Amino acid sequence: TEDEIMLFERDMKEFWIEFKSVYGTEQINQTLSLRDSCKGSIEVLSAKWSRKLKEGDLMIDKIKEYNNEILQQSKCISEKEEQLTEIKLNQEEEQQKNLTDSIQELKEELEKQLEIMSSKDKAVKEKMERLCKSKVLFEKCLGLEIRRIHNEQLQFIFRHIDHKDPDKPYTFTLSINEQGDYEVTSCTPPLDCIAEFQLKVRETNNFPAFIANIRKAFTALSYK
């Protein structure tokens, strides 16, 4: 009520008058000054710590930002390392494939070379067999002697050509070259037509006719 309020205000005034009389105005002023000083210090400290807290919050945000950047960089590095590993594996697989293909090509080329060599060797053996089979016939009918000499060559020796000297030898040496063709390497006495006979036997593969033609040439030469 208003009476109660008025009574409370009167009591406060009496208390304040009594307080001043006991402590004095100077002490009260000192107390108020100290209060204001403490209040100012508290306000300064509050502002300072508020600023520190804001700086701390900013620093925490920066640290979080740096951590996020570090995580992103770590993730990027991990991805790059995985890509590099995959590239290395792909390169190794490609190198292995290239090496395998190269080895396969070499094998195929070697097989071709072996087939060619085998074919040539077979052809040479067949021709040598034909020569050997003809040996007896030529010796009996044409007075011919066939000898196997160095480097797998055959030497053909004709006799009974020169009626003045039946034992006089007329010879030529025959080999089979790398192409599998007949090749005359020597002829004694020399015949101008030997190259022609050699070319013809390569074309016709008629070896008996080749031997007969050479004997005829030697015989014609003996009458000169």
Side-chain angles (χ1 to χ4, degrees):
T1 62
E2 292 183 359
D3 293 339
E4 289 176 344
I5 292 172
M6 291 178 63
L7 181 62
F8 178 74
E9 289 179 349
R10 189 191 63 184
D11 291 340
M12 286 297 296
K13 288 180 180 179
E14 290 177 357
F15 173 77
W16 186 246
I17 292 170
E18 186 180 354
F19 181 77
K20 284 183 178 181
S21 64
V22 175
Y23 290 97
T25 302
E26 184 177 354
Q27 288 180 339
I28 291 172
N29 291 335
Q30 288 179 354
T31 300
L32 292 174
S33 177
L34 180 61
R35 183 197 66 182
D36 293 339
S37 176
C38 289
K39 183 179 179 181
S41 297
I42 290 171
E43 289 177 351
V44 171
L45 288 174
S46 296
K48 182 178 180 180
W49 281 109
S50 178
R51 187 172 64 253
K52 292 291 185 181
L53 288 173
K54 289 182 180 178
E55 292 176 354
D57 290 340
L58 290 174
M59 187 172 292
I60 290 172
D61 292 339
K62 282 290 184 182
I63 291 173
K64 289 181 179 179
E65 184 179 346
Y66 290 151
N67 285 335
N68 289 332
E69 289 180 359
I70 291 172
L71 288 174
Q72 290 296 327
Q73 290 179 352
S74 298
K75 183 179 178 181
C76 183
I77 290 172
S78 178
E79 291 175 353
K80 294 294 184 183
E81 287 178 345
E82 290 178 359
Q83 292 176 1
L84 180 61
T85 301
E86 185 176 354
I87 290 172
K88 287 182 178 179
L89 289 174
N90 291 336
Q91 288 179 344
E92 289 179 358
E93 290 177 358
E94 184 177 357
Q95 290 176 353
Q96 289 178 355
K97 184 178 182 302
N98 291 336
L99 182 59
T100 302
D101 292 342
S102 177
I103 292 173
Q104 183 62 30
E105 289 178 1
L106 289 174
K107 286 182 177 180
E108 292 176 357
E109 184 65 24
L110 179 60
E111 288 177 358
K112 290 180 181 179
Q113 292 294 332
L114 290 175
E115 289 178 1
I116 293 172
M117 293 298 295
S118 176
S119 177
K120 288 183 177 180
D121 185 59
K122 182 179 179 181
V124 169
K125 288 182 177 179
E126 289 177 353
K127 288 187 177 182
M128 293 300 294
E129 288 177 0
R130 286 198 297 270
L131 292 176
C132 291
K133 288 179 181 179
S134 302
K135 179 176 181 292
V136 176
L137 176 63
F138 291 149
E139 286 179 347
K140 290 181 178 179
C141 298
L142 304 175
L144 174 64
E145 178 184 357
I146 302 174
R147 298 176 181 174
R148 188 185 297 273
I149 59 176
H150 58 280
N151 297 329
E152 296 298 321
Q153 297 185 99
L154 293 178
Q155 186 181 51
F156 295 78
I157 306 171
F158 292 98
R159 302 184 189 277
H160 310 300
I161 290 179
D162 189 347
H163 63 282
K164 295 178 182 178
D165 186 2
D167 291 331
K168 179 180 179 180
Y170 290 75
T171 67
F172 74 95
T173 303
L174 186 70
S175 67
I176 298 176
N177 60 23
E178 294 181 356
Q179 288 72 36
D181 296 325
Y182 295 111
E183 183 174 355
V184 176
T185 57
S186 66
C187 182
T188 306
L191 295 174
D192 296 335
C193 55
I194 196 70
E196 179 184 348
F197 294 159
Q198 179 177 269
L199 180 61
K200 191 171 183 179
V201 74
R202 289 179 181 177
E203 294 174 350
T204 63
N205 204 31
N206 189 343
F207 190 74
F210 171 69
I211 298 297
N213 288 333
I214 291 179
R215 180 179 174 81
K216 289 179 181 178
F218 278 144
T219 300
L221 186 63
S222 70
Y223 287 105
K224 291 182 179 180

